[in-house]
Structures are given as structure tokens and as C-alpha cells.
Amino acid sequence: MKQTMKLRSGAIIPQITPDEANRKSYLTRNVLNMMHLMPSGDPVAYDQNADGSITYFFDPARVVEADPALWYAPEKSTETMTLENGAEIVRMSTKRAASCGYYTKERLSQMNYDVIEEPVAYTLRNDKSTIYFYDKKTAIRRPLMCVECGKDVRYRRKLCKACFEADLALRRAEGDEHRAAYYGMERKKVLFFDLELTGVYNHDEILSVSIVDGTGEIIMDTLIRPIHKKKWKRTEKIHGITPEMVADAPTLEEVTPRIKELFDNAENIIAYGISTDYSHIKYIYDTEAEREALHKKARCAANEFVRFQTEHYPDLTHASLSDAMERLEISWEGVAHTSIADTIGCAKVWEKLFPNYYCD
């Protein structure tokens, strides 16, 4: 079975002999240099030299012409050096090498890379000693160490597994304390709401508004007739609201006084992913002061669920309202993705996360 090597890009390349490479018309970096070409992709194979260094082979179909300024000088030929393995490398300035992604072994080490390929270029110090440059693309990245203890390889959040688990335990305890606290809120003054829209952008319009208070009472559940939009095919597939369904519905302007009355008398207004809903509902207010007052009352159930999930189920990443309902073992009332079902679901998620939120 042939030996293979996994590159940093994730590609796996085989070890082959120079003869095999010639039969496949693969090119070494030395040959590319002589042809004034540079690879545009990963190596396609490699061979290990007697001294332990690596020679990479490149597909001639994946090369580009080198910058002429790199290979040609106006009045003199490019200086080169021949390595012990017979490869010829070109002399270039440090600035030019960096522009090609070539660095010294010391610099690559500082960047957390180990060099395994022979040099690809060089320059000379003032005392005529040689500085070799290596290709970062073919260097091997060393595992990053934990930023907390510096002893073990990173696992998550830039921490090793032990430090991550200790940090997680601390964050979980803080989160559980936050969720178990007594907030003393009056149920009637905590409102949950959800909007269905013609789209996701600020210029899109509201199609429905649902508002439920902390007792579970439905305060408002109405369709809204948009003024500008006539069709919304993409979002219609999600919430099921058709143009025909809103043809005789009130406009947003007509229901705005009632929404303002409800929101102005509320202590908190809560939605699942409130940033989108707030970005649309805020326009019922005329002044920035009114919008800011509304924003201060806003709470996001999605943010709180994400915090709970990362503290208790760090392997899970999806955090939609459906995910929250499933994770917290809450049943849907009505059809998911309608504004009323989502509003009731949001209220249930909130109370499950904050069992002592209300004063009763």
C-alpha cells in the first residue's frame, strides 16, 4: 500500500518515485522555477529524499506564469543556487519572498509551522551568509496549544479539553443561577410577539402580528395587508400566508395604535430572534427616543436558549425555535411557523428557561 500525506488543505497525496512522476508529466518546483512558473494549487504527489526533506510534484495543468519581475532583471541574469539534492533555487528579496508566500524557517516557526520541504528561494545577508526561504503552503501546521494552560492541544474555544470542561462548568453554574433567579415580573405586563413578513430585508412588509401575554392569553392575532408588496413566493412557502388571505385584512397603520398601547404598557416584550422582528416593528414609532424606549424593553428568547444550549449541550449547534421546543420537551400549539404558534411557543420556551420569572 502506498504511503500518503495529508496536506493542510485536507487533500491526501501519494508518495511516488521520480520515475513515476516523470511518466505522469508532473513537475518539481525546481523545474517550475526554470520554466518561470509557479504552482496555483496543491501538490499532487511527493517523495521523501535521503536527507528526510520532501520533494513535491505539481500538475502542469495547475500552474501560472510567475511575475516577470521575480525572474528577470533588466541587465543581468537571475542569480540562482544549486542545493545538495540538485534542485536550483532563485535569489530574491525578503519582500518579494513574502509576496510569494515564502518565509524563513524561523518565521514559519513563529507562525506555528514546521518545514518539511527543501528551500524554494534564498537571499544573502550583508556578510554574504545565506538565508533560505520555504513555502508556507507546503509547511505543516503544528497543533495550537491551550491559551489557558499552554500544556495541551486546543479542543474548543482555544482551550484544551480539561480547561474547556472547567470553563464550561463555571459558565453552566453562572447560567443556571441566571435562569433560576427570581425576577418578580407581572404576567400581564410581559408580552411575547411574532411577525410574519414578505421577506427578510428592512424594505419588506409585515403580514401578520401575534401578541400573547405571560398568562397565555392571546392579546392580538391579526393578518396585515401590505401596501407595496403584491407577491412573496419565497416566504409564503414558510408561513403559508397568501396574497388572497390578506386582501381584506387591516393595514399596519390601522392596527398601529393598538400595538403601541400594548407595548407602551408592557415591562418586557420578548420574541424568538427579536432582532428581525424589532427591525420591522420599530417603524411604527416616529422618533428615535420612542424606538430606543421599545428596544430597552426587548428581550431575545433565542439568545437565552443558545446560552442554555452551549452550557448544557455544547455539541449541539442548531438553535431554531423548533430545536428549542424539542430540546425543552415542549409541544406545539397550532401550526409551526405561523405567527401565533411561534408566539405561544416562544412564551413556553421562556418560562421553561426562567421558571421563576413571574411574581406568582
Side-chain angles (χ1 to χ4, degrees), residues 27-28 52 66 81-82 98 119 130 157 166 168 177 193 228 240 255 258 274 277 302 319 354:
L27 306 176
T28 65
M81 172 189 290
T82 302
T130 304
R157 294 170 63 95
L168 179 62
E177 182 179 2
F193 79 104
H228 304 289
V255 300
R258 177 58 175 155
I274 199 168
D277 295 305
F354 295 93

Side-chain angles (χ1 to χ4, degrees), residues 179-292:
R179 286 181 288 272
Y182 289 85
Y183 289 88
M185 302 299 293
E186 186 179 336
R187 287 183 178 272
K188 284 287 186 180
K189 291 192 174 183
V190 177
L191 299 183
F192 299 87
F193 79 104
D194 186 66
L195 311 176
E196 298 300 341
L197 308 164
T198 60
V200 298
Y201 299 105
N202 286 346
H203 62 262
D204 282 297
E205 297 179 80
I206 296 172
L207 290 173
S208 70
V209 180
S210 297
I211 303 175
V212 173
D213 68 16
T215 69
E217 180 183 352
I218 298 174
I219 309 299
M220 176 181 285
D221 182 30
T222 181
L223 293 172
I224 302 292
R225 173 166 51 86
I227 300 301
H228 304 289
K229 296 282 185 176
K230 303 302 179 185
K231 297 179 181 179
W232 42 88
K233 290 293 186 181
R234 289 185 179 180
T235 53
E236 181 182 325
K237 295 177 182 178
I238 300 172
H239 49 57
I241 301 174
T242 66
E244 292 74 22
M245 291 170 64
V246 300
D248 298 321
T251 64
L252 181 62
E253 184 178 3
E254 291 173 309
V255 300
T256 286
R258 177 58 175 155
I259 297 174
K260 282 185 174 181
E261 179 186 1
L262 292 170
F263 283 178
D264 290 348
N265 290 325
E267 292 184 9
N268 284 159
I269 59 168
I270 302 170
Y272 200 91
I274 199 168
S275 59
T276 299
D277 295 305
Y278 173 78
S279 69
H280 287 83
I281 204 68
K282 70 180 182 181
Y283 290 113
I284 68 174
Y285 294 93
D286 297 322
T287 68
E288 281 300 321
E290 290 175 309
R291 294 172 184 174
E292 181 60 28

Side-chain angles (χ1 to χ4, degrees), residues 92-103 133:
M92 62 177 68
S93 68
T94 302
K95 183 177 180 181
R96 172 61 66 180
S99 71
C100 295
Y102 303 159
Y103 301 93
F133 298 118

Side-chain angles (χ1 to χ4, degrees), residues 277-329:
D277 295 305
Y278 173 78
S279 69
H280 287 83
I281 204 68
K282 70 180 182 181
Y283 290 113
I284 68 174
Y285 294 93
D286 297 322
T287 68
E288 281 300 321
E290 290 175 309
R291 294 172 184 174
E292 181 60 28
L294 178 68
H295 191 267
K296 287 181 179 179
K297 298 180 180 183
R299 303 290 184 271
C300 185
N303 288 349
E304 293 295 347
F305 175 71
V306 168
R307 177 177 179 180
F308 165 79
Q309 182 168 262
T310 55
E311 291 166 356
H312 286 268
Y313 305 95
D315 292 331
L316 301 180
T317 56
H318 296 292
S320 67
L321 179 56
S322 296
D323 295 318
M325 301 276 281
E326 181 180 355
R327 176 54 54 194
L328 298 173
E329 300 180 340

